[in-house]
Amino acid sequence: MKKLILLIVILASAVSQLPAARLYPSTGRVVDEQGNAVEYATVVLLKGSEQVAGRTTDARGRFELKAAPGNYTLQIQFLGFDPIKKAVRVELDNDLGDFVMRSSATDIESVVVKAQLVRREADRFVVDVANAPAAIGKDGIELLERAPGVWIDGEKISINGKSGSKVYINDRELRMEPEQLLTYLRSLRAEEIQKIEVVPTTGADYDADSAGGAIRITLRKRRENGIDGSVSFNTSQAEIVNKYNPSANINIHSGRTDFYASAWGSFGGDKTTTDEQTRYDAADKALNAHSEMKGRNRSFGASAGTVFEINPRHSVGAEFEYWRNRDGEPNDSYTDFRNGGTVTRTDSYFDKLDRRNNYSATFNYIWKIDTLGSTLKLLADYTRRENDTRNDNTSCITAPGGVLDSVYRDNSVSLYNITTATLALEKNFSPRWSLKAGAKYTYNDMHNNALYEYRKGDAWLRNDRQSFTIDYTENIAAAYAIASAKLGDWSLVAGLRGEYTHTTGKGVGQDYFSLFPNANVSYSFSREKGWSLIAQYARTIERPRFWSLNPQRMQISDYTYQTGNPSLDPAFRHDVSLTLVMAHKYTLTGGVQLVDDEIQQTMRADPENPDLLQLAWINYDRTKNYYVSVNLPFQPAKWWQLNANFTYMRHGERVEQHGAETFYNWAFGSISTTFTLPAKFYIDLSYNYQSRIDLGNCWVEPDHRLQAGIKKRFGDRFTASFSVQNLLDQGQVIGARGDGFVRTVNARQTWSNRSYRIGVTWNFKSGKAFKRKAVEAGSEAEKSRL
């Protein structure tokens, strides 16, 4: 820790000694041959061969670069267009005018522009995926694993160690359960993606339930009438997994109408093997268990949308999405339970079948108020989720006194309805001043019915103690305002969001109003050399996920089960961070997160039978996270790219009110590199590390993952790849310690053990390039709670 403090002092001292040369802004606009704005074009200012400044154009095609007075070379690049290279002079109040990009007739790979793959903007990291050799042949998950601060543990996505991160595609949140979300992201190919933005701390224009930050993925856009799309297929094969994942997408632009559609699937099976040891302190008891769960997955989804431009300022859009998931998870297990000198053997078969249907519809109206990019948006969304879970369980218990057969089953049916309406105004008074304001109403409705039965003789009898019916309704009304200003070397953003929540249901009744302020202040020490300092603050809320409120009892093994908690309270978070940006790309971030009533899982003994263990959701009294994160992107040579991310976190928690506070040290790290070889061959290597993680009375042992792969491009239409995931074949060790017991589980599962992946992608297009539009949705945080 002393070395870290010394490093920060040295860096701050170096910044204070930077020359205070006067920098002047140079502005301009990038358009196509029809005069339409070109978004996300890369604009670079060069002094000789050295990059002085660089960024991408905004939604209006505009850019602003700051440099000392003098003569420079301006380079502009965007996929599908011929690059622009022009001599310019930087001076006071310099407007460079419009730059017209013309459709390219040559291979884009013959163009080389020196631009940073990873860069830091005021409130986010931006990964420019387009044309990056490190991205070729990768899927969405592989790209996110290389983004600054992002960690994927096989079940959830987090930023800087903070869980609950949300994922957006073209401004539309992916409203899926964790497993479906990861499957969908794997269906995305790098060839479809323009850029990835990682927003560690969200502003007031996001729902207050965005405590874990946001990941925004922008798909590539094209410009004129025509058709484009891609077809992809990848498969993962190993002793414990055989999965097949096809996907396809198409975009059509004709006149004032855009149409787009996509489909994806995931089919196959996997096997999860666990070995459990439990030691009981209160008596001479011990438990040893083994289980094999064979997953049978049948998932697929499709979406289609259209945007119609009434005139250049008014447009309407609609989108429909459907996905279906069918998971069969039969589990064979045996357990030896020793009590003193006797051993009880239990052989069980748990046959679980989970079927889910999701329907979602979105409508929006957008009015472009002026030429400065001001907009008024009206968004409406509806989502319906149907869950049907069935479990047929059979156990044969062999004890010294004889043999007992136990047969029981349960059926849980859940229905979720989410409706949102959003009105959002963004007013740009000038390139330096803007205001955002909006209002939103959300209606969440949940119905759960569960029937538990056991077999007695030839009859099925209802278990009234575990069967339940729960209805849960939530109304959220919100309003927000954000002001932004660019004042020379200073950039300021301040916002305030107010949310009123009214909740009713069996055993649940909540009425509360909360304010959620946020602020972002950045100062540029030297724009020419790329040194700046960014301070951020935000207050957010984490509402319980719907499935964590569901008290359904799910048997994990003979002596372990999981259940929800309808009495969970929302958690409130305060986030403060300070980021130092060096040479436009290297970043050092330090921050603290304070959380009241954090929602986490705990393992405890069943209140009626202490031999059974219960995995349950609870509210911690208070947690603290002090963290430092470093992002180091390098390009040692034109053919070699390297990116490193490291995060250290000092985690403190007080589980019960007035209880003792406990601190733990967490660490996350990732290093990835890509070598570009002749004949369009590429080699990828990556390593990911996670230290031991302690949360309450549960822990996860350190995790190491090593990946290697090779890919080959055939022209600009076809890509083939082969990779080996988790070369170390390490598995995972998790544990829990409670009153009277210590439990340890060794698990082998698909995302932590070795597997082989083969993938192919074919891109097609006809006509000239065109701009792909997509329908924007307003139901953000609510749908992720499904």
Side-chain angles (χ1 to χ4, degrees):
M1 192 66 185
K2 291 181 179 179
K3 293 182 179 179
L4 178 61
I5 295 174
L6 179 60
L7 174 61
I8 295 174
V9 171
I10 293 173
L11 290 173
S13 175
V15 169
S16 67
Q17 297 175 24
L18 289 174
R22 179 63 175 170
L23 303 180
Y24 293 126
S26 293
T27 59
R29 186 167 176 259
V30 181
V31 298
D32 60 18
E33 294 166 281
Q34 284 68 44
N36 300 315
V38 178
E39 305 173 56
Y40 312 121
T42 301
V43 185
V44 179
L45 199 62
L46 301 173
K47 190 76 170 180
S49 61
E50 180 182 355
Q51 178 176 314
V52 174
R55 63 169 304 148
T56 57
T57 56
D58 61 19
R60 305 183 300 279
R62 298 198 61 84
F63 64 88
E64 180 182 273
L65 302 173
K66 286 193 175 183
N71 296 317
Y72 297 89
T73 299
L74 186 74
Q75 285 192 348
I76 304 173
Q77 175 184 335
F78 187 74
L79 184 69
F81 291 91
D82 290 328
I84 293 176
K85 186 174 183 179
K86 184 177 180 180
V88 297
R89 179 167 179 79
V90 174
E91 52 193 7
L92 181 64
D93 296 330
N94 193 27
D95 186 354
L96 302 176
D98 289 355
F99 294 86
V100 180
M101 301 198 78
R102 305 187 184 282
S103 297
S104 175
T106 60
D107 186 352
I108 192 67
E109 292 194 0
S110 65
V111 179
V112 177
V113 172
K114 185 181 178 182
Q116 304 300 339
L117 176 64
V118 180
R119 53 189 166 83
R120 173 76 193 206
E121 293 188 350
D123 65 339
R124 66 193 64 193
F125 289 97
V126 180
V127 183
D128 289 313
V129 177
N131 303 323
I136 295 171
K138 290 185 171 59
D139 59 35
I141 290 293
E142 292 172 311
L143 291 173
L144 285 178
E145 288 177 332
R146 288 156 175 77
V150 177
W151 183 263
I152 301 176
D153 69 356
E155 297 179 357
K156 63 179 183 297
I157 301 173
S158 61
I159 301 174
N160 290 338
K162 299 180 290 186
S163 60
S165 303
K166 304 185 184 306
V167 181
Y168 300 81
I169 297 288
N170 283 354
D171 296 325
R172 193 180 202 284
E173 188 190 1
L174 295 180
R175 42 196 179 275
M176 301 175 179
E177 296 179 11
E179 182 179 349
Q180 280 68 47
L181 174 61
L182 297 180
T183 299
Y184 174 77
L185 290 174
R186 287 192 182 96
S187 74
L188 290 177
R189 314 310 301 170
E191 290 79 2
E192 304 172 55
I193 299 174
Q194 179 67 32
K195 66 175 181 176
I196 297 174
E197 298 171 280
V198 180
V199 186
T201 304
T202 55
D205 51 336
Y206 288 82
D207 284 334
D209 191 4
S210 299
I215 296 170
R216 309 189 70 91
I217 299 174
T218 301
L219 301 183
R220 287 185 174 180
K221 300 183 179 182
R222 307 184 67 202
R223 299 287 152 181
E224 293 181 2
N225 291 348
I227 299 174
D228 78 349
S230 66
V231 178
S232 300
F233 176 81
N234 68 77
T235 178
S236 295
Q237 299 291 328
E239 177 187 354
I240 60 174
V241 62
N242 60 300
K243 285 195 174 182
Y244 307 90
N245 305 304
S247 65
N249 70 84
I250 187 171
N251 306 301
I252 303 174
H253 179 77
S254 178
R256 292 183 292 177
T257 303
D258 285 85
F259 174 81
Y260 56 93
S262 64
W264 58 271
S266 180
F267 310 97
D270 57 73
K271 182 170 69 174
T272 298
T273 304
T274 62
D275 290 286
E276 172 190 346
Q277 299 84 38
T278 303
R279 301 291 179 262
Y280 299 87
D281 301 335
D284 184 17
K285 297 180 180 180
L287 179 152
N288 289 279
H290 174 82
S291 69
E292 290 187 3
M293 180 184 295
K294 298 180 180 180
R296 300 175 304 210
N297 179 264
R298 302 289 186 274
S299 299
F300 62 88
S303 65
T306 183
V307 177
F308 176 69
E309 192 176 76
I310 302 172
N311 57 47
R313 288 199 171 186
H314 300 269
S315 66
V316 293
E319 181 177 294
F320 179 78
E321 181 180 59
Y322 170 77
W323 62 261
R324 175 179 176 84
N325 177 263
R326 186 183 188 277
D327 271 335
E329 296 180 344
N331 187 0
D332 277 302
S333 72
Y334 65 82
T335 303
D336 292 324
F337 183 83
R338 179 174 57 82
N339 186 356
T342 63
V343 176
T344 300
R345 172 79 174 220
T346 304
D347 292 282
S348 297
Y349 181 75
F350 305 100
D351 192 2
K352 178 186 176 183
L353 178 61
D354 194 354
R355 291 176 291 194
R356 284 157 286 182
N357 290 281
N358 189 89
Y359 310 85
S360 180
T362 297
F363 168 82
N364 68 27
Y365 162 73
I366 299 178
W367 173 23
K368 298 178 182 179
I369 300 174
D370 54 37
T371 58
L372 293 174
S374 303
T375 59
L376 180 67
K377 300 178 182 179
L378 175 63
L379 314 175
D381 297 85
Y382 172 71
T383 297
R384 179 183 178 90
R385 174 77 56 82
E386 301 169 350
N387 282 15
D388 186 349
T389 303
R390 302 174 183 269
N391 293 280
D392 294 311
N393 305 323
T394 303
S395 297
C396 178
I397 305 170
T398 304
V403 178
L404 173 66
D405 289 331
S406 175
V407 181
Y408 50 101
R409 67 186 184 187
D410 64 82
N411 179 210
S412 176
V413 178
S414 301
L415 176 63
Y416 307 94
N417 291 288
I418 299 175
T419 304
T420 70
T422 306
L423 182 66
L425 170 68
E426 180 177 354
K427 176 61 178 176
N428 296 313
F429 299 99
S430 73
R432 290 185 172 85
W433 294 90
S434 65
L435 176 68
K436 294 181 181 179
K440 181 177 180 180
Y441 170 71
T442 302
Y443 175 78
N444 295 320
D445 185 39
M446 179 179 77
H447 302 274
N448 293 298
N449 291 281
L451 173 63
Y452 288 79
E453 298 176 302
Y454 61 93
R455 185 86 170 175
K456 188 173 183 180
D458 295 329
W460 286 99
L461 302 180
R462 176 187 173 98
N463 185 336
D464 292 320
R465 298 177 61 185
Q466 295 182 16
S467 300
F468 62 84
T469 298
I470 290 181
D471 296 330
Y472 180 93
T473 302
E474 183 179 64
N475 295 270
I476 304 173
Y480 70 89
I482 304 173
S484 303
K486 295 180 181 179
L487 307 172
D489 291 330
W490 290 90
S491 177
L492 309 173
V493 178
L496 182 65
R497 186 182 186 95
E499 289 193 354
Y500 168 71
T501 304
H502 174 68
T503 304
T504 58
K506 183 178 180 181
V508 178
Q510 295 179 338
D511 274 285
Y512 56 91
F513 175 79
S514 298
L515 291 175
F516 303 95
N518 77 283
N520 182 307
V521 181
S522 63
Y523 176 70
S524 176
F525 294 100
S526 171
R527 286 190 177 270
E528 184 176 358
K529 294 189 176 181
W531 289 69
S532 59
L533 197 62
I534 303 164
Q536 291 182 283
Y537 166 76
R539 182 177 189 260
T540 55
I541 186 175
E542 180 189 2
R543 294 184 175 89
R545 301 296 188 260
F546 291 151
W547 43 267
S548 66
L549 294 167
N550 190 334
Q552 177 187 2
R553 175 167 170 159
M554 185 179 71
Q555 204 73 26
I556 298 175
S557 62
D558 294 317
Y559 286 78
T560 308
Y561 66 93
Q562 178 177 318
T563 184
N565 180 4
S567 301
L568 287 174
D569 292 322
F572 291 90
R573 302 169 184 253
H574 294 270
D575 262 302
V576 182
S577 67
L578 187 66
T579 299
L580 177 65
V581 183
M582 299 155 281
H584 297 286
K585 56 182 179 178
Y586 309 113
T587 63
L588 174 65
T589 299
V592 59
Q593 182 185 69
L594 307 176
V595 187
D596 291 317
D597 296 320
E598 180 168 343
I599 301 169
Q600 289 290 355
Q601 282 189 306
T602 190
M603 181 160 281
R604 57 196 179 194
D606 183 87
E608 298 181 1
N609 182 358
D611 294 340
L612 300 181
L613 301 183
Q614 177 194 69
L615 189 62
W617 293 94
I618 64 170
N619 288 108
Y620 287 8
D621 181 57
R622 188 173 178 82
T623 60
K624 302 174 183 177
N625 293 312
Y626 304 93
Y627 64 91
V628 175
S629 184
V630 179
N631 174 239
L632 304 171
F634 297 102
Q635 185 154 357
K638 185 178 178 179
W639 46 269
W640 181 14
Q641 289 185 343
L642 177 68
N643 193 58
N645 294 284
F646 304 99
T647 298
Y648 164 77
M649 181 173 290
R650 177 72 169 167
H651 172 78
E653 59 186 30
R654 186 171 61 227
V655 177
E656 298 179 352
Q657 190 175 17
H658 308 304
E661 188 173 32
T662 308
F663 283 89
Y664 302 98
N665 297 307
W666 298 353
F668 308 89
S670 66
I671 301 176
S672 60
T673 186
T674 297
F675 299 95
T676 302
L677 306 179
K680 296 183 180 180
F681 276 98
Y682 305 88
I683 293 178
D684 294 316
L685 299 171
S686 67
Y687 169 74
N688 295 274
Y689 168 76
Q690 174 186 291
S691 69
R692 171 174 165 138
I693 301 295
D694 288 88
L695 271 172
N697 66 339
C698 302
W699 69 84
V700 180
E701 292 294 337
D703 180 41
H704 304 265
R705 297 183 214 170
L706 182 64
Q707 285 79 228
I710 185 169
K711 57 203 174 188
K712 162 69 175 173
R713 295 196 72 178
F714 301 88
D716 59 355
R717 297 290 184 91
F718 188 79
T719 302
S721 62
F722 171 78
S723 62
V724 184
Q725 308 293 312
N726 304 307
L727 274 163
L728 302 178
D729 202 29
Q730 181 185 25
Q732 188 180 48
V733 180
I734 58 179
R737 180 187 300 273
D739 293 335
F741 71 89
V742 178
R743 181 178 189 256
T744 304
V745 177
N746 292 270
R748 286 176 50 83
Q749 45 201 333
T750 57
W751 59 270
S752 62
N753 285 90
R754 186 184 302 128
S755 64
Y756 304 89
R757 183 178 299 173
I758 300 173
V760 292
T761 300
W762 175 60
N763 299 302
F764 62 87
K765 62 182 177 180
S766 68
K768 293 184 178 180
F770 64 91
K771 176 180 178 180
R772 179 191 187 278
K773 297 180 179 178
V775 175
E776 183 176 352
S779 53
E780 300 169 350
E782 298 79 22
K783 294 176 183 177
S784 67
R785 294 170 65 195
L786 291 171

